[in-house]
Amino acid sequence: MIINGKNISILDCTLRDGGYYTNWDFPYSLVEKYLKAVNSLPIDYVELGYRSAETDSYHGQYDYLPDFVLKQCQQLCPDKKRAVMVNLKEVNQDNVSVLLGDISEYVDMIRFATRPNDIEKAIAIARIAKNQGLETAVNIMYMSTWVENPSFAELLGNADKYVDCVMMVDSYGSVYPEQIADCVKKLRMHYKGKIGFHGHNNLELAFANTRAAIEAGIDIVDATISGMGRGAGNLRMELMMTYCTRFDSSLSLNTMMETLEDFETLRHNYGWGTNLPYMISGCNSLPQKDIMEWITKKRYSAESIVRRLQAHIKQTESEFVCPVLCETADSETVTILIGGGESVIAHIDAIIEFIRRQTKNVNLIFSSSKHLYLFDSLPEDVDRYIYLVGIEGKRLEKHISSVRKSDRFVITPQSPNMSTYIPLNLDKQVYVLPLNYSTEMEKNMADSPLYVSIKIAMYLKAEEILLAGYDGYGTDAKSDKFDMMEENQSVVSFFAPQIRMLSLLPTKYHNLKELSVYFLLTK
């Protein structure tokens, strides 16, 4: 596309960057319309996703891009160059050829996402891809951290032999337009190949920064449909195309409308785009990964996220202090974990009767306060533990009359720093659960209500956990429900080898054996 008298290549990376929201799963019908639209627009490259190494969790087809998917994309978008990204941290000179395989039949360009201090490694690996007949690009991340001191650029002196393009990546959405030209100038002092720009929109400057980059003489710009991308998202492709109509009045945007509607539906479901937490992270060059997880899980209010970010910036922690949960129970106690599933309402009479019949002490652990009120009729000697995370306390306020003085509200060590909401005058009943994470997977589960509830049970010496209200969700569930089910399934699978868990009610979760409460009532 000729812009301001210079030929600018436009790259669409919707499936790759947008995959952070969909776990790199997109319906074929959506991809078909999207790629056909891209094929008809003045877009030069379409980045189809990642070619990733094996992970310990499910990722969709556009994170691995098997050859049959690449072939489908080639057939749907035959007139454009197709690109694939590889995370440099996942490869080395010995295994990159194995990861890439023989994809040159379907792919024209490989882009390597790299940190500034890994430039030499990136060049060496790009050389291998270049020898396979592929165009190569090195996407240098964290631009806002190197704008003042891009000393790594000196290492790019001879890189143009193997690296066709160096992309400046504003990973945190923190760069300002007036900084762009100087970055391009410093790169040009050492690197003779093409330069590109990939912006994030935390401060709503993706378009302004892209224009500044074009004016500074770059060669390639990135954008995505509806701005779909990690965290606050990217430059909107529809905005970029609209800008291009200033230079080509014959350009029609009609072909974008149908696929744009599809992605706007996704945006409504997943909620990408900037907001106050992303703006704060942008202003302070903070990673978007944690913020994106906090927002998409919908456990934390925007207020609590903002407080956490401000505390991080000031390097302060919450002054809220509470005692450690006491190990008061023993293995003889019957432990029942109550989830938020609707089955609890349907079968509450049976659950209550089962609890009343117990001759041993009973611990009731609520992973949510949603159904607390249903257990008001139980005697005071039934110990109750309620996990509070994020805004769960707001829900508890609706059932505040059901709270007993003997109830224990449990938070985790990280909860004060996330400004967990403690309702009314219940702070004297709040206890912290000591947590030690033995694996990275556990650390990632740390605020899962099911994970913490099982941890409470194990801390209280339970040898068996009976669950109710962990129903699972059907195929027509919304995306956030699918995320919750996937998270719960991971938790169940993680604990299954460690402790006996039985569901008293129907459940869709694997590794969770069903034992009908009605059968138990016949014994």
Side-chain angles (χ1 to χ4, degrees):
M1 183 74 197
I2 303 300
I3 300 177
N4 290 338
K6 181 175 175 60
N7 187 18
I8 303 296
S9 295
I10 299 173
L11 184 148
D12 185 285
C13 51
T14 304
L15 298 180
R16 196 269 306 169
D17 216 338
Y20 284 99
Y21 278 99
T22 67
N23 210 14
W24 293 278
D25 267 333
F26 293 91
Y28 178 81
S29 58
L30 179 145
V31 173
E32 181 180 29
K33 284 190 287 185
Y34 155 72
L35 288 177
K36 288 181 177 179
V38 168
N39 199 56
S40 67
L41 292 166
I43 294 171
D44 301 274
Y45 296 86
V46 55
E47 190 169 60
L48 303 173
Y50 284 103
R51 189 83 161 191
S52 294
E54 181 183 2
T55 63
D56 58 2
S57 60
Y58 173 82
H59 287 177
Q61 57 189 324
Y62 297 97
D63 192 40
Y64 296 109
L65 290 174
D67 288 356
F68 84 92
V69 175
L70 292 173
K71 184 176 181 180
Q72 286 177 345
C73 294
Q74 180 189 53
Q75 292 170 345
L76 293 170
C77 194
D79 300 330
K80 306 300 177 181
K81 290 186 176 182
R82 291 163 299 281
V84 168
M85 181 169 283
V86 171
N87 273 318
L88 191 72
K89 63 183 179 181
E90 296 182 355
V91 296
N92 54 50
Q93 295 185 58
D94 296 326
N95 66 13
V96 65
S97 294
V98 176
L99 181 66
L100 292 179
D102 186 16
I103 63 174
S104 59
E105 181 179 352
Y106 311 112
V107 173
D108 301 280
M109 174 189 278
I110 300 292
R111 303 209 294 179
F112 296 97
T114 183
R115 299 173 299 180
N117 57 353
D118 285 333
I119 290 297
E120 290 180 296
K121 176 184 176 182
I123 295 171
I125 291 181
R127 180 178 183 176
I128 296 172
K130 187 71 174 176
N131 289 336
Q132 292 182 227
L134 295 162
E135 291 182 50
T136 59
V138 173
N139 286 33
I140 306 176
M141 300 183 290
Y142 317 131
M143 184 178 175
S144 58
T145 67
W146 54 260
V147 289
E148 298 298 330
N149 184 31
S151 56
F152 64 86
E154 298 174 8
L155 300 174
L156 296 170
N158 295 313
D160 57 291
K161 295 179 181 178
Y162 314 114
V163 178
D164 296 298
C165 179
V166 168
M167 297 292 299
M168 306 185 300
V169 182
D170 184 13
S171 304
Y172 304 138
S174 302
V175 175
Y176 293 88
E178 58 268 25
Q179 298 174 305
I180 300 288
D182 189 54
C183 290
V184 175
K185 180 180 178 181
K186 289 177 179 177
L187 288 179
R188 291 278 187 219
M189 289 173 60
H190 305 282
Y191 176 70
K192 300 177 183 178
K194 295 179 180 178
I195 295 176
F197 176 72
H198 175 100
H200 279 252
N201 209 29
N202 295 60
L203 302 179
E204 297 192 335
L205 291 174
F207 180 58
N209 284 337
T210 298
R211 283 195 61 195
I214 292 172
E215 291 170 2
I218 67 160
D219 306 279
I220 299 178
V221 298
D222 284 7
T224 62
I225 303 293
S226 192
M228 188 180 193
R230 191 174 194 176
N234 308 102
L235 168 62
R236 286 174 172 262
M237 180 59 78
E238 58 271 24
L239 177 56
M240 187 63 200
M241 290 291 101
T242 301
Y243 178 59
C244 288
T245 61
R246 294 185 57 187
F247 306 96
D248 182 0
S249 59
S250 66
L251 173 59
S252 173
L253 304 182
N254 292 336
T255 55
M256 290 191 70
M257 291 308 301
E258 189 174 0
T259 192
L260 181 58
E261 289 177 2
D262 288 342
F263 282 96
E264 283 296 299
T265 299
L266 288 182
R267 188 166 69 90
H268 177 76
N269 291 337
Y270 290 102
W272 67 80
T274 197
N275 53 33
L276 184 55
Y278 284 130
M279 292 173 189
I280 293 172
S281 70
C283 276
N284 296 278
S285 293
L286 300 178
Q288 302 191 85
K289 178 178 180 291
D290 290 342
I291 302 170
M292 182 174 168
E293 289 181 357
W294 295 336
I295 290 174
T296 54
K297 286 181 179 178
K298 300 181 180 179
R299 287 186 191 133
Y300 303 106
S301 66
E303 178 185 7
S304 66
I305 296 172
V306 167
R307 287 181 180 176
R308 179 67 185 103
L309 290 171
Q310 290 177 326
H312 177 84
I313 294 165
K314 297 177 182 178
Q315 296 185 330
T316 61
E317 302 296 347
S318 170
E319 297 180 357
F320 180 75
V321 178
C322 59
V324 174
L325 184 67
C326 295
E327 299 177 76
T328 56
D330 56 52
S331 59
E332 294 300 312
T333 300
V334 176
T335 302
I336 305 175
L337 199 162
I338 306 297
E342 296 302 310
S343 63
V344 175
I345 299 173
H347 302 285
I348 187 59
D349 292 341
I351 298 172
I352 294 294
E353 180 63 21
F354 174 73
I355 294 172
R356 288 185 181 279
R357 290 191 185 187
Q358 300 308 307
T359 57
K360 300 177 182 179
N361 292 332
V362 175
N363 279 336
L364 274 182
I365 301 173
F366 294 84
S367 63
S368 163
S369 61
K370 178 180 178 180
H371 295 317
L372 185 65
Y373 73 99
L374 294 174
F375 296 84
D376 286 352
S377 63
L378 289 175
E380 292 285 341
D381 61 353
V382 175
D383 291 322
R384 307 197 308 183
Y385 300 82
I386 302 97
Y387 174 47
L388 295 182
V389 59
I391 58 175
E392 181 63 30
K394 294 283 187 180
R395 189 202 311 247
L396 181 62
E397 284 186 330
K398 298 177 182 178
H399 307 298
I400 202 67
S401 61
S402 297
V403 174
R404 300 172 177 176
K405 291 183 178 180
S406 60
D407 287 340
R408 297 176 179 89
F409 299 97
V410 182
I411 63 174
T412 63
Q414 73 173 34
S415 297
N417 297 329
M418 283 304 300
S419 301
T420 294
Y421 180 76
I422 309 298
L424 299 178
N425 298 316
L426 299 182
D427 55 303
K428 301 300 183 183
Q429 294 176 240
V430 178
Y431 300 84
V432 65
L433 173 70
L435 284 178
N436 294 312
Y437 310 117
S438 59
T439 66
E440 188 66 25
M441 181 179 293
E442 275 195 283
K443 188 175 181 180
N444 293 334
M445 296 176 182
D447 63 349
S448 160
L450 179 56
Y451 172 83
V452 175
S453 298
I454 294 175
K455 276 291 190 179
I456 293 171
M458 296 174 72
Y459 186 73
L460 298 176
K461 309 301 184 184
E463 295 181 350
E464 176 183 86
I465 304 174
L466 304 176
L467 294 91
Y470 279 89
D471 309 349
Y473 300 95
T475 56
D476 60 342
K478 293 183 179 179
S479 57
D480 60 332
K481 301 297 185 184
F482 280 123
D483 291 342
M484 188 184 303
M485 183 165 182
E486 185 179 59
E487 176 184 85
N488 286 343
Q489 184 61 69
S490 297
V491 172
V492 170
S493 298
F494 177 80
F495 282 111
Q498 303 178 44
I499 189 168
R500 179 176 164 86
M501 295 182 290
L502 302 168
S503 180
L504 298 175
L505 302 177
T507 179
K508 291 184 172 69
Y509 292 107
H510 305 296
N511 299 327
L512 188 55
K513 182 179 178 181
E514 292 179 349
L515 179 65
S516 174
V517 66
Y518 294 101
F519 167 74
L520 294 176
L521 289 174
T522 66
K523 297 177 68 175

